[in-house]
């Protein structure tokens, strides 16, 4: 493996930046449509603690679905394997399956990263924690070392006002018996969770425990067990990019997770985490330039898990 | 990583062998139902050439769908990236999707390891090779170093006589325009391909080029490029076990491929390949004890790619 | 045709009453579960104005989905053919299709009698009437000649508190762009509409304009045109009984509509309307004894439209 | 009802003939593509024996799926109600459901008029008759009073050579256990059955027993019971036009059956049968002008069952 990471990143950044990018901003959350579409940043954190960033890597953005990995981590940390009676661990197949598969699977979502699965994780956290909203925030503050991190009310409110499809999903799962709390409460927490804002540097740092056997880089504190970290990484690889999960494994070859805010985080176990941000999305809802940059990085460096 | 492989395998074999195994033999291919269901063998081949086997690891069995990885390799070797216009690289979601998804995707199979995808690969090989049946056999003889390897006419004929579902799939894809040759010719080759018989030792040896950057262990001959090998490994991880692909990645964490003959091959890039055989299948059509043994191996050793 | 209606009804009632009835009450609306499951009534109204009833035909019950025919009539009366750009007129196929088909059809419900279609009708009425809730009530009071008819708040509240699946449907259609008003407002009207209570006599009377070329029996007032009445009858025949619509056409051979309160109304154009009530439902959600009674009536009398 | 049938037909014919018709010929059966697309004929047969025809009503065409009503009649005649354990009587919902629904329904087709259902009927006839192919031909000769009627080998061979989708359907149902004979034999009979050629006059005559309580017009011979005739009429109304069955019931209001050869037959029980032929098809695979003519007839005459 080529270890000269900074050159690889720099090269990939240069190659990707001028690409003609036809992607559109996520418009179903009105507030996200106000972001400057030309933003582009990348940051890599090695598990030896060194790091390297380029472009808009210090500007915060809405991490959206990337937060689902963190809420899953909190659920695994506190409740362990029993959460898997309520969610499966299989890729979802197609965009259209979310509702169809829920119906045929009696309300058991295919995995914790499709919206239905992340909503069930929120329901589980509400049922088992004193104050899920606060405890989740504390948890992310802790693993990211950002003490003043907060939810973005503006983003959360924007999604609450227009998130009809998520309201549909949550009520549908409730009708099938796999939501314990009232849909409104579950959805409020879900929209809050997705409203977190971090920059690329903070994001690659926050996820580095998953590349480090479950331990925080700074103080080696064990967040979750090594086995639990491996399983979350496996889930990111098979389910982290919706319909494009197979494509990402095929082209990039790293576990990762994307969000409609244009962020992607990926990681090479025992080596590094990398976060990239570019708001224009490809037709599958993943950052167009983010995908391209990561493909370029692993094509040139052969730094993939395969 | 624990490097004392033989002890790990021995331990997993001992723990798995006495398990009560409620699985059934594959009965839809009548000839497969004649196999002794108590057979159990395992063989590991390291990329340094050392190897270790236990139980019925020297008795040949029908590798069935495991052969799909080899026909894909041949297609990739000769035709490169252009095969991906005819097949996708995404997990298929559910058992029931094969036909539904074909319809909504205009006859483009979800990946080369579902039956529809492997049938399209056979069609591609027939169109582009002089004699696909013979050239595929030569190819497997070459990578496995078994010069007298042959198709099993008994198995192939048994499946030809009863494989109505595969006849349906092939004719359906033909009606959607993604099969070039006559369905009967494509199916004959497909059933032949699946009828290959190897033992665990031969199988772990035959697949070792995928753990070795695309090169044969014995003579370092480059079968496919390193990048192509990585991509086939990624496909095995996301799509190698039908509906249970996510589960296998989650529990075992290695690229692998199963067959209804009860065989499974898995590999740890740059380290080893492992083949296991036990004919009783779990409800998802994968070897019950084979899955358990591999789970035990990676749980105890932490030898997973994640 | 046998014209001695009262004997035919009496005979069918006697044959059906003692049938062992394994059906269950609708339990998803808690308030409906309090109804006495042994209730059984039938009432026939001929278009010459004569009528005949038996059993509990003068006791009111929750007509539920039967009301969808009346809200459709109001929409057709005021808006004419333009409503068919927002709803289709095809049978829905299977129980599970409601959500799947909505997704593939861009939020256009299959017909106005599946829940999604009735919800869109409610949305249309809200958009085009000053006060849909009041005007619909006035309309039903007018065609049924029951001046003091009212919504049942108890039933409506019971469904509002637990109707998660309808909340899901309405929000899903909203997300696909085929609901104009806020889901909460649409659902409130929908639940109110379904909460109407009539007895068999009133129900057969209220529907008699559909058997009479669109004109009220009492005063020959034209409610809708003859052509519009024919089309609503056609819709009842093809779509009136969910998954069992084909079965009802096949066994009974009359246009009709059922409700989960155990009511069914059916009609023979230019001849009669008949309403029956028995709360226990068959597995398709239609009144078990109601279906049996109507089958017996048409089998003995050959009074079907075919 | 207006009884001056000939004027109504003449008027509708004149209004429909000049319509711009963008429909295409069925091209998936190559031989059908050779038909002159401008052909247009109509013929009405009253149950009093009088009849009236216009245009190309004496030129034979391939009746295709219209023959499914006749093979169903033969199955009902000889085997009675027991055929309904192998086929359902519900509309199929969508075009795409044929395969999906077969899978979820364990190989039980939705109704006898979708291809899968007609194929199962062919299998039933082969199992229960000495020589299904000959006996079916005799049966149609008998009810149509055309002693020299034969199958068209040219059409049947054309479809056998290219009917991959029907081969897929038949093998798929076989794999699910609902075909008793070998798929090849079943398909041969199916393609023969669909290759019958009649003209509009012959067709309206052949179907007149269904408008006449199951009895032939010429000699009052009972072909099937009145109740059986009513049920076949009900099935034509709910399932006779694939995805457009609801639309046909809504717009025309008569039981009927279409074929991809451009023919449609419809009937008004106890009144008349009408056959129309125009080869250009609308996007749902039904004759464009045939549908328009029948809509015009019933709109002007109000001669519908509703």
């Amino acid at each position: 493996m080529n270890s000269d990471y900074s050159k690889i990143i720099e090269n990939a950044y240069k190659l990707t930046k001028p690409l003609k990018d036809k992607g559109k901003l996520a418009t179903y959350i009105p507030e996200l449509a106000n972001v400057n579409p030309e933003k582009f940043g990348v940051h890599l954190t090695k598990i030896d603690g060194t790091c390297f960033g380029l472009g808009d890597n210090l500007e915060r953005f809405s991490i959206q679905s990337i937060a689902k990995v963190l809420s899953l981590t909190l659920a695994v940390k506190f409740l362990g394997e029993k959460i898997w009676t309520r969610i499966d661990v299989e890729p979802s197949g197609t965009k259209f399956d979310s509702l169809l598969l829920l119906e045929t699977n009696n309300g058991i979502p295919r995995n914790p990263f499709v919206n239905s699965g992340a909503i069930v994780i929120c329901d589980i956290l509400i049922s088992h924690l004193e104050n899920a909203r606060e405890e989740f925030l504390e948890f992310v503050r802790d693993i990211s070392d950002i003490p003043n991190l907060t939810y973005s009310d503006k983003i959360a409110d924007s999604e609450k006002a227009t998130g009809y499809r998520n309201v549909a999903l949550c009520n549908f799962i409730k009708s099938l018996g796999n939501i314990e709390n009232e849909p409104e409460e579950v959805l409020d927490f879900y929209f809050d969770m997705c409203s977190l804002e971090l920059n690329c540097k903070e994001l690659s740092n926050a996820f580095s425990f998953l590349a480090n056997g479950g331990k925080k880089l700074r103080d080696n504190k064990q967040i979750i067990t090594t086995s639990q970290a491996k399983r979350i990484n496996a889930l990111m690889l098979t389910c982290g990019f919706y319909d494009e999960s197979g494509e990402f494994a095929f082209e990039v070859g790293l576990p990762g997770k994307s969000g409609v805010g244009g962020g992607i985080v990926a990681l090479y176990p025992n080596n590094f985490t990398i976060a990239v941000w570019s708001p224009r999305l490809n037709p599958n809802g993943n950052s167009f330039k983010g995908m391209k940059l990561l493909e370029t990085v692993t094509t040139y460096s052969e730094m993939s898990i395969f």
Side-chain angles (χ1 to χ4, degrees), chain A:
Chain A
M1 186 202 309
N2 189 326
S3 66
D4 201 352
Y5 292 95
S6 60
K7 275 202 185 144
I8 293 170
I9 300 295
E10 204 166 344
N11 186 40
Y13 184 83
K14 278 186 194 154
L15 285 168
T16 311
K17 198 170 167 49
L19 283 181
K20 268 204 103 129
D21 179 356
K22 303 174 204 150
K24 292 184 182 156
L25 298 190
T27 51
Y28 74 93
I29 305 173
E31 196 61 35
L32 286 184
N34 298 330
V35 173
N36 177 349
E38 303 309 322
K39 293 292 178 184
F40 189 28
V42 58
H43 194 95
L44 180 140
T45 301
K46 291 174 67 179
I47 62 165
D48 65 11
T50 60
C51 67
F52 178 76
L54 273 173
D56 304 308
N57 72 109
L58 299 180
E59 181 170 335
R60 288 188 176 170
F61 59 91
S62 186
I63 67 168
Q64 292 291 317
S65 289
I66 297 172
K68 294 172 182 173
V69 182
L70 303 178
S71 55
L72 172 65
T73 302
L74 186 63
V76 162
K77 179 181 174 66
F78 279 123
L79 304 165
E81 299 305 303
K82 69 184 164 191
I83 68 170
W84 304 115
T85 57
R86 303 223 0 231
I87 313 175
D88 206 344
V89 295
E90 297 296 332
S92 72
T94 70
K95 204 173 286 178
F96 300 122
D97 281 358
S98 40
L99 281 160
L100 173 61
L101 287 179
L102 278 173
E103 200 145 19
T104 54
N105 290 349
N106 298 312
I108 305 295
R110 290 290 286 175
N111 64 65
F113 297 150
V114 289
N115 286 11
S116 55
I119 286 169
V120 169
I121 290 286
C122 285
D123 181 60
I124 290 174
L125 290 174
I126 291 171
S127 290
H128 289 86
L129 302 180
E130 288 274 316
N131 184 329
R133 193 179 181 282
E134 284 311 308
E135 292 179 52
F136 176 67
L137 190 58
E138 276 312 312
F139 172 71
V140 183
R141 282 173 176 165
D142 178 36
I143 61 167
S144 65
D145 287 321
I146 316 171
N148 65 344
L149 187 80
T150 58
Y151 298 119
S152 162
D153 290 345
K154 218 161 136 188
I155 293 286
D157 289 349
S158 181
E159 195 166 358
K160 276 174 206 178
T162 60
Y164 299 110
R165 193 177 175 114
N166 286 319
V167 177
L169 269 174
C170 187
N171 278 278
F172 189 44
I173 308 170
K174 177 79 179 177
S175 79
L176 294 167
N178 197 21
I179 292 282
E180 292 173 353
N181 302 284
E182 277 308 305
E184 206 173 329
E185 186 183 2
V186 177
L187 287 161
D188 275 352
F189 177 35
Y190 175 76
F191 292 135
D192 282 341
M193 177 195 84
C194 291
S195 77
L196 286 177
E197 294 177 324
L198 288 85
N199 64 36
C200 289
K201 181 174 186 176
E202 291 164 343
L203 197 55
S204 72
N205 197 45
F207 271 69
S208 55
F209 73 97
L210 288 170
N212 192 35
K215 288 174 291 189
K216 269 185 76 172
L217 286 195
R218 193 171 54 81
D219 55 10
N220 259 338
K221 185 169 91 170
Q222 194 87 36
I223 307 293
I224 49 175
T225 69
T226 301
S227 165
Q228 287 170 335
K230 279 170 171 281
R231 289 176 163 203
I232 290 175
N233 291 343
L235 277 168
M236 282 198 281
L237 191 96
T238 53
C239 315
F241 293 83
Y242 307 106
D243 295 357
E244 219 173 21
S245 297
E247 184 83 12
F248 192 79
F250 187 79
E251 299 284 356
V252 177
L254 296 176
K257 186 75 201 77
S258 64
V260 292
I264 302 178
V265 64
L267 62 91
Y268 190 171
N270 304 315
N271 281 276
F272 63 77
T273 53
I274 182 168
V276 59
W277 173 47
S278 169
R280 291 197 201 269
L281 307 179
N282 68 19
N284 288 307
N286 299 314
S287 170
F288 175 81
K289 280 196 184 168
M291 299 290 274
K292 289 292 176 198
L293 184 142
L294 292 169
E295 276 173 45
T296 310
V297 165
T298 56
T299 300
Y300 280 78
S301 65
E302 299 200 339
M303 297 187 302
S304 96
I305 62 174
F306 298 111

